[in-house]
Amino acid sequence: PRCYVNKQLFTVRVLKGEPAELSCTVSKHDVTGTWFKDGLKLTSMDGVIFEKQGLVHKLIINKAEDIHAGKYRFEGGDIKTEAAIFVEDPPQVDQVLIKNLTSVPTVAKAGQPVKIKIPFEGRLPVRATWLKDKMELGDSTRIRLDKTDTFTMLSIASSERQDCGDYKVRLKNDSGVLEINLKLLVIDKPQPPAGPIKIVESSANNITIQWKPPKDDGGKPVQRYIIERQQVGKNDWEALGETPRSCTTFTTNKVEEDMSYYFRVRAVNVEGSSDALESEEVKAVGKASPGAPDPPEIVSASKDTITISWKVPRKTGSSRIVGYMVQKRKKGTVTWMPVNNGPVADKKLKVTKLKKGLQYEFRVAAVNAAGVGDASEPSKPAFACDSTKAPAQVQGLKVSSSDSTSVTLMWKRPEAKDGNDVKGYEVEMKSSRNPNWTKCNALPIEATTYTVKGLQAETYFFRVRALNESGPGEAVELEACVKAAPPVVSPRLLIDDKVKTFLVIKAGNVIRVNIPYEASPDPVVTWLKDGLPLSSRATIKTEDGTTQLRIKAAEFTDSGTYTVELQNGLGKKETFTFQVQVTDIPQPPGPIQLSENVPNTVTVTWEPSASEKWERNLYYTVLKRESQKGLWHVVGDLIYNNKFTYTSLIPGRDYYFKVVAKNDLGASGSSETVHPWRLRKIKADFYIKPQKYRGVNQNQPPRFLVPLKPHVVITGSECRMSCAVGGHPPPKITWYKDNRDLSNDPTYFFTNDFGVCCLIILGVSKIDAGEYMIEATNESGRASSRAFLAIKGNS
């Protein structure tokens, strides 16, 4: 940095160890200039060079150190000017160490201790802060933070996976901030595979299991999985095999029919194997043949051929169905004859070589690896003859009546076509629980109405077909819902943790309370507030087993005790009561008054907040500051009356007070004093009996044993500038700022304890920056000392 001091006053900030230069230009070549530092003439100084180049006089500092900080003055000819140098010494860390910490993560194995030590340099005090994932760290049972004047260290007694993350070290002093980012990686064996273990396939010969990779691989990739098996009833686990990390399924054929097993899986990385994930009991099922299919349907018929079709049985057994065996018999006989020699893969078959005019029945059995399953029920009888046209659809199918266990259907006859008269009707039904159609009548229905009985409370589907000699016609479908008679249930409130017995609502917000219940028939619901009916602002909504209280914008008058009552025809009454407290941020307190009821104290009284009328948990906080520029500090809290006495007063200082009201929702605005409060500073008379000396003159001119030093202070904080003065008789002390006498300025406080002199500024601001001088005078002479005060803003 370079500063031309002849133009105006400059403050030069230079990093410690860096060069600095001050220069001044005079008007004549023959001018001999003189440099001063902190009021003392400079003839020589370590690390300082004086140069003159024509009209320019220079003061050069090759390498700035703390001793070079201070106020410099140049005098020569008609030039007299000043400048100040501040030596900045921010925290510094070796660059090689920073590169090693930031470029490569610090790696540790789980359970091992971790120590990260960072030596630093810089002007003390240096504050060291450690952060992990942007959260500040503190000492705990495992983690310790150490800090000295030369290093900071993070120590973890036994590292865990949770210690992994991004760490930041922040070093800060008055000259600056240094931040170092680093990573810590803790490696461990993986967590168990994610469960549960699923059974993909279980048969008499094979069991296939499946799992998911572990949620935490321990910081190293999973290499493989180890699978083990234990037979139920035994203690030993048997190793079955391994799978690579990309495969999370395993099939074993080391099983016995109808035996049960447990399986467990472990994940393995370079650090070892995880704990095991264990399955539930798994049984190797035996072989099973298929169940019986539904009766086959008649698709078409001719004089010597009938075509039938069927569906897959609901129970297919333990293996895949490979085909079907079909049998036939003449109606009225008991002997079934095979139609096909081997299994038919299709689910439809054209049966040929039938005798014309005879009536046949058919049945089907499924075939799998276990063999031939059970045969179906017989199909409807069918004639081996050329078919006639099927009847048309019935007309106007509807529900004529229903109750909790039956539905009565009604329809009209279809129109007769080509003389094909209807011989009867067939009714079928299915429900939401059973999707298969079942017949409701064993014999054809002659009437056009039918009642289906024995129903339960659910949705049913019905269809009706007309029948003639050629078979059934196209069906007409209808949906009907059967409602069961509700059982009688006494009123009961379903109160759980979601229903609160005490509610605090901010004024203006919505009050909404839902109370669930059960009752049959529906009960009469009554709401009361403090034993009386609700106001017109309240809305009650009751439906689907819940009754709701809603008030759109809460007011203070809505506070109180609310009761909901349920009652139905059984005569039993059920009630629930809860409290509602409507509150808000308090109103500010009234005006403040100050009085000195007890010597050297001040009693603060104030008018109560208007919120005291409705707020039960209101209290007050009293704050003070010692100047109009100072910071507020709490001196009294949790005050439940309107008076507070403050005793820690210092005579001669100005005090300001303010009071705020508080409750659970926050603080009110403040009520502040208008004028400062000051105790008079009583000057004590001191009398010192002079000693008598014989023949020796003890008078000494003033001299500064410890001079003033420059200060750098943050805005709002307290500043103390001190020095030590000697001389006899004791000299008179006078303070100056920028050559202005401060004796009568109440902003500043002065002390003189046996020659140790101090100037105090309670809360500094930018206008306090400048040059301060202390002058000591007695009968034998005069002495002075100067120093510069610089102000930094809050960061």
Side-chain angles (χ1 to χ4, degrees):
R2 179 175 297 180
C3 177
Y4 296 95
V5 299
N6 58 306
K7 295 182 180 180
Q8 57 181 325
L9 178 64
F10 280 90
T11 299
V12 179
R13 296 185 181 275
V14 59
L15 286 174
K16 188 174 182 179
E18 296 293 324
E21 180 182 303
L22 302 178
S23 62
C24 181
T25 304
V26 298
S27 58
K28 297 179 180 180
H29 287 277
D30 57 351
V31 173
T32 301
T34 303
W35 290 92
F36 297 83
K37 179 180 182 294
D38 297 330
L40 300 177
K41 182 178 178 179
L42 283 177
T43 57
S44 64
M45 187 178 181
D46 291 341
V48 177
I49 301 174
F50 305 102
E51 289 186 359
K52 179 182 177 184
Q53 298 176 357
L55 300 178
V56 180
H57 293 255
K58 295 184 179 181
L59 183 149
I60 301 173
I61 301 173
N62 292 326
K63 187 176 180 182
E65 300 293 341
D66 290 337
I67 62 172
H68 298 131
K71 187 172 182 180
Y72 291 81
R73 186 173 80 251
F74 177 82
E75 294 182 1
D78 55 351
I79 296 296
K80 183 178 181 181
T81 185
E82 298 177 342
I85 291 181
F86 288 92
V87 178
E88 300 280 10
D89 189 9
Q92 297 183 21
V93 176
D94 183 70
Q95 293 298 317
V96 175
L97 176 60
I98 292 178
K99 183 177 180 181
N100 291 338
L101 288 173
T102 57
S103 59
V104 180
T106 301
V107 181
K109 290 187 178 182
Q112 291 183 344
V114 174
K115 288 188 177 181
I116 303 175
K117 182 178 180 181
I118 301 180
F120 59 79
E121 298 177 350
R123 178 174 291 120
L124 300 176
V126 176
R127 182 174 182 266
T129 306
W130 288 80
L131 298 94
K132 177 181 180 292
D133 300 328
K134 300 182 180 181
M135 299 293 291
E136 185 171 345
L137 286 175
D139 287 338
S140 66
T141 55
R142 294 191 312 106
I143 299 177
R144 178 179 173 183
L145 301 177
D146 294 307
K147 188 236 175 229
T148 67
D149 291 343
T150 59
F151 71 88
T152 179
M153 183 167 66
L154 168 69
S155 302
I156 303 176
S158 178
S159 58
E160 299 176 359
R161 282 287 292 163
Q162 65 182 11
D163 297 321
C164 294
D166 295 324
Y167 288 76
K168 176 180 289 186
V169 184
R170 181 180 294 136
L171 303 173
K172 182 177 181 181
N173 65 5
D174 290 342
S175 299
V177 179
L178 175 64
E179 292 185 345
I180 303 173
N181 295 309
L182 54 98
K183 286 182 177 292
L184 175 61
L185 177 61
V186 179
I187 58 176
D188 195 2
K189 64 182 182 180
Q191 288 186 352
I197 293 179
K198 294 183 179 180
I199 308 303
V200 178
E201 182 179 353
S202 176
S203 66
N205 300 319
N206 298 291
I207 294 179
T208 301
I209 62 174
Q210 185 180 53
W211 62 92
K212 295 180 181 178
K215 295 181 179 179
D216 184 1
D217 61 4
K220 290 293 184 178
V222 172
Q223 297 175 334
R224 64 188 185 278
Y225 297 97
I226 298 175
I227 299 91
E228 298 174 296
R229 184 200 69 182
Q230 181 190 58
Q231 185 174 327
V232 174
K234 295 185 178 181
N235 297 324
D236 297 331
W237 286 89
E238 176 187 356
L240 294 179
E242 298 181 356
T243 65
R245 65 181 180 182
S246 59
C247 181
T248 56
T249 60
F250 182 83
T251 301
T252 177
N253 57 4
K254 297 180 180 181
V255 294
E256 298 180 17
E257 184 178 336
D258 293 328
M259 295 298 296
S260 296
Y261 302 92
Y262 296 109
F263 293 88
R264 68 183 184 187
V265 183
R266 302 178 188 268
V268 182
N269 67 5
V270 295
E271 296 300 316
S273 62
S274 70
D275 294 335
L277 169 67
E278 192 168 327
S279 73
E280 299 291 336
E281 182 178 330
V282 183
K283 185 175 183 179
V285 299
K287 295 182 179 180
S289 56
D294 290 337
E297 299 279 345
I298 305 298
V299 178
S300 62
S302 64
K303 60 182 179 180
D304 59 356
T305 302
I306 296 177
T307 302
I308 62 173
S309 66
W310 57 90
K311 296 180 180 179
V312 178
R314 287 185 288 274
K315 295 181 180 180
T316 59
S318 60
S319 60
R320 183 176 57 86
I321 291 178
V322 296
Y324 299 89
M325 299 300 295
V326 181
Q327 295 176 317
K328 66 179 180 180
R329 71 178 179 185
K330 298 176 184 177
K331 186 178 180 182
T333 63
V334 295
T335 303
W336 289 96
M337 303 295 295
V339 174
N340 52 323
N341 295 324
V344 177
D346 199 1
K347 295 185 287 298
K348 187 176 183 180
L349 181 64
K350 188 175 185 180
V351 183
T352 60
K353 299 180 180 180
L354 302 177
K355 292 185 178 181
K356 181 179 179 181
L358 294 181
Q359 201 171 13
Y360 290 90
E361 294 175 327
F362 303 90
R363 69 180 185 182
V364 179
V367 182
N368 67 1
V372 180
D374 297 331
S376 68
E377 293 294 322
S379 67
K380 296 179 181 178
F383 286 96
C385 62
D386 293 331
S387 62
T388 57
K389 290 184 179 181
Q393 292 180 327
V394 299
Q395 304 293 317
L397 177 61
K398 64 180 181 179
V399 176
S400 62
S401 63
S402 65
D403 55 30
S404 60
T405 59
S406 65
V407 172
T408 299
L409 303 175
M410 181 179 293
W411 62 90
K412 297 179 179 179
R413 293 174 60 89
E415 296 181 359
K417 296 180 179 180
D418 300 329
N420 297 326
D421 294 334
V422 172
K423 302 298 184 182
Y425 302 94
E426 178 183 81
V427 177
E428 295 176 294
M429 75 172 184
K430 68 177 180 179
S431 67
S432 55
R433 297 181 183 178
N434 185 4
N436 296 315
W437 290 100
T438 58
K439 287 185 179 181
C440 299
N441 55 302
L443 299 175
I445 302 169
E446 296 182 358
T448 56
T449 181
Y450 185 78
T451 299
V452 184
K453 299 180 180 180
L455 303 179
Q456 298 180 355
E458 60 177 293
T459 300
Y460 291 87
F461 297 89
F462 300 94
R463 66 184 184 186
V464 178
R465 305 173 188 267
L467 305 174
N468 64 7
E469 292 181 352
S470 65
E474 185 177 355
V476 176
E477 191 171 323
L478 176 70
E479 178 181 353
C481 183
V482 177
K483 294 184 178 180
V488 177
V489 179
S490 298
R492 187 168 72 92
L493 293 166
L494 306 177
I495 305 301
D496 54 18
D497 294 339
K498 296 181 180 179
V499 182
K500 307 297 182 182
T501 58
F502 185 79
L503 302 175
V504 178
I505 306 295
K506 186 176 181 180
N509 286 354
V510 177
I511 298 177
R512 183 183 291 107
V513 180
N514 293 311
I515 306 295
Y517 67 87
E518 64 178 9
S520 180
D522 291 337
V524 176
V525 180
T526 304
W527 283 85
L528 301 173
K529 176 182 177 292
D530 298 327
L532 299 175
L534 301 180
S535 67
S536 58
R537 297 174 47 255
T539 303
I540 303 299
K541 183 179 180 181
T542 302
E543 62 180 8
D544 297 332
T546 300
T547 179
Q548 182 190 77
L549 165 68
R550 185 175 186 275
I551 301 176
K552 185 175 182 181
E555 298 178 358
F556 295 111
T557 57
D558 294 322
S559 298
T561 302
Y562 288 78
T563 303
V564 59
E565 296 181 350
L566 302 181
Q567 190 171 13
N568 66 2
L570 296 178
K572 182 180 178 182
K573 181 187 294 185
E574 185 84 358
T575 62
F576 174 70
T577 300
F578 59 93
Q579 299 284 334
V580 173
Q581 175 66 46
V582 180
T583 185
D584 201 351
I585 296 175
Q587 298 294 319
I592 295 176
Q593 293 183 355
L594 305 176
S595 59
E596 187 177 0
N597 299 330
V598 178
N600 296 327
T601 66
V602 59
T603 298
V604 185
T605 58
W606 58 90
E607 295 295 327
S609 166
S611 302
E612 278 194 16
K613 298 177 183 179
W614 59 79
E615 179 59 62
R616 294 183 297 177
N617 298 323
L618 184 141
Y619 62 93
Y620 297 95
T621 299
V622 179
L623 303 93
K624 67 92 180 173
R625 64 181 179 185
E626 299 183 9
S627 69
Q628 288 186 338
K629 300 174 292 182
L631 300 176
W632 288 103
H633 298 281
V634 175
V635 294
D637 199 9
L638 297 175
I639 301 171
Y640 291 91
N641 53 27
N642 305 119
K643 180 188 294 186
F644 174 76
T645 299
Y646 181 61
T647 59
S648 302
L649 294 177
I650 299 176
R653 293 189 181 181
D654 288 341
Y655 291 89
Y656 296 82
F657 293 90
K658 71 176 180 181
V659 181
V660 296
K662 294 182 178 179
N663 64 4
D664 296 337
L665 293 182
S668 70
S670 63
S671 177
E672 302 184 19
T673 55
V674 178
H675 303 291
W677 177 268
R678 173 184 288 191
L679 287 178
R680 292 185 179 181
K681 188 173 183 181
I682 301 175
K683 296 184 178 179
D685 294 331
F686 295 94
Y687 175 76
I688 301 175
K689 184 178 181 179
Q691 297 181 5
K692 294 181 180 181
Y693 297 92
R694 297 178 181 180
V696 179
N697 183 7
Q698 297 294 328
N699 291 343
Q700 294 181 359
R703 69 187 186 281
F704 281 90
L705 305 176
V706 179
L708 288 178
K709 294 183 179 180
H711 284 66
V712 179
V713 183
I714 296 174
T715 303
S717 64
E718 183 178 283
C719 176
R720 291 177 177 265
M721 303 181 69
S722 60
C723 62
V725 182
H728 186 81
K732 177 185 177 183
I733 302 300
T734 308
W735 288 87
Y736 298 87
K737 177 184 182 293
D738 298 330
N739 297 321
R740 178 173 62 86
D741 190 345
L742 302 178
S743 300
N744 297 320
D745 192 333
T747 308
Y748 303 91
F749 301 93
F750 316 103
T751 62
N752 184 353
D753 297 326
F754 303 103
V756 178
C757 303
C758 186
L759 178 144
I760 304 171
I761 309 173
L762 294 178
V764 298
S765 62
K766 291 185 178 180
I767 63 174
D768 293 319
E771 183 191 46
Y772 288 79
M773 182 182 75
I774 180 171
E775 183 182 65
T777 58
N778 65 7
E779 298 173 356
S780 300
R782 171 185 174 277
S784 65
S785 178
R786 299 170 183 264
F788 196 89
L789 173 61
I791 308 300
K792 293 177 65 176
N794 277 312
S795 60

